Amino acid sequence: MNAVAEADLLRRFGFYKSALYVRDIDLCVVSDVHIGLAETLYRQGLHFPLYEEETLLERFEAVLDRFSPAVFVLDGDIFHAFDRVSRGVTETFSAVLATLRAECEVILVRGSHDTMLPAVAGGAVERYDRGGYTVVHGDKAVDDHGTLVIGHDHPAIEIDLARFPCFLYGEGVVGGRDLVVMPAANPLSPGVTVNHAKGRDFLSPILRRVDTGRLQPVVEADGETVVLPPLAGIRRFA
């Protein structure tokens, strides 16, 4: 991506704390919040506090302060556990919704983990379309869409032995439409390294059908955004 194309990408989108902001339509998206991941880690034997609720609320408040969106989409895998929603998870979910709804409209998109979502919150949808963009979780194939925004795969990039959650951007890679793959919003999720990933390595049927070598990692850290070369080039020089 040349300097002009990179500048156009950053004019089009904001990237902050694993949230994507689509400037033209005043839309913010986060994916894979996985509320309750901390509880699962505790059950597996972790014995120090992870402050999941406090961390998530701090992140959401920072994103709201940065972008002030009209619409905020939670793009699937809102809950971590498939089969249970504890009181603590319900309370954290309620606190997140209250924080967001105080500032903007909130859309809940169902993900593969969200089997319990209908029991806790009504009105969740399979997809959300707005202004030429289609937000789906990514666990199912989708036809008749705009620019796609998906989650599900938790991408991360490894640089000098350090791992960073990343977005993946592909210009025209899905039937001529652009694609943005979201990192996991829960910082307790380490992400899945994509440096050498091919289409067959991804969980999403959408990603399995694209030339993943054309996808560009976008890393945001401390408020600074870096657009990296396409994965094909990273594989060559790794």
Side-chain angles (χ1 to χ4, degrees):
M1 179 175 286
N2 60 39
V4 173
E6 181 175 331
D8 287 343
L9 178 66
L10 297 180
R11 277 194 292 268
R12 184 180 178 189
F13 299 116
F15 304 91
Y16 187 59
K17 293 189 178 293
S18 297
L20 176 76
Y21 180 59
V22 186
R23 301 186 193 280
D24 287 350
I25 58 173
D26 205 12
L27 172 71
C28 203
V29 183
V30 300
S31 187
D32 298 280
V33 183
H34 283 274
I35 298 171
L37 177 54
E39 286 189 3
T40 297
L41 294 173
Y42 293 148
R43 289 198 300 273
Q44 293 173 350
L46 200 64
H47 297 299
F48 57 86
L50 296 172
Y51 304 108
E52 182 181 60
E53 179 175 325
E54 294 89 339
T55 301
L56 288 174
L57 289 175
E58 181 181 304
R59 282 193 158 212
F60 282 119
E61 288 166 356
V63 171
L64 289 170
D65 288 344
R66 172 66 67 97
F67 298 126
S68 299
V71 180
F72 205 117
V73 180
L74 300 183
D75 185 21
D77 286 3
I78 296 165
F79 297 144
H80 182 67
F82 292 91
D83 57 347
R84 64 190 297 273
V85 178
S86 69
R87 178 180 296 179
V89 168
T90 301
E91 289 174 351
T92 297
F93 176 62
S94 297
V96 167
L97 281 187
T99 296
L100 296 176
R101 285 175 172 164
E103 302 293 336
C104 56
E105 180 184 0
V106 179
I107 305 295
L108 306 178
V109 173
R110 283 188 292 271
S112 54
H113 281 243
D114 293 324
T115 55
M116 299 301 294
L117 184 60
V120 180
V125 297
E126 294 292 333
R127 60 184 280 170
Y128 178 69
D129 292 275
R130 179 181 175 90
Y133 288 79
T134 300
V135 183
V136 293
H137 184 57
D139 55 314
K140 301 173 185 175
V142 59
D143 298 313
D144 186 26
H145 56 78
T147 292
L148 273 175
V149 180
I150 71 171
H152 194 48
D153 269 279
H154 305 194
I157 193 81
E158 190 172 281
I159 303 171
D160 294 333
L161 301 181
R163 182 183 294 184
F164 300 89
C166 69
F167 301 82
L168 295 174
Y169 172 71
E171 182 177 1
V173 296
V174 186
R177 303 289 185 129
D178 297 349
L179 171 70
V180 181
V181 185
M182 304 287 298
N186 193 321
L188 298 178
S189 173
V192 177
T193 304
V194 297
N195 294 58
H196 302 285
K198 306 291 181 64
R200 64 180 179 271
D201 299 320
F202 289 96
L203 295 174
S204 172
I206 296 169
L207 284 171
R208 289 177 188 162
R209 296 178 181 177
V210 308
D211 178 2
T212 54
R214 293 172 58 190
L215 299 179
Q216 291 191 256
V218 179
V219 176
E220 182 276 323
D222 299 325
E224 298 295 324
T225 302
V226 179
V227 182
L228 298 174
L231 287 177
I234 291 173
R235 293 173 194 144
R236 266 199 310 273
F237 296 108

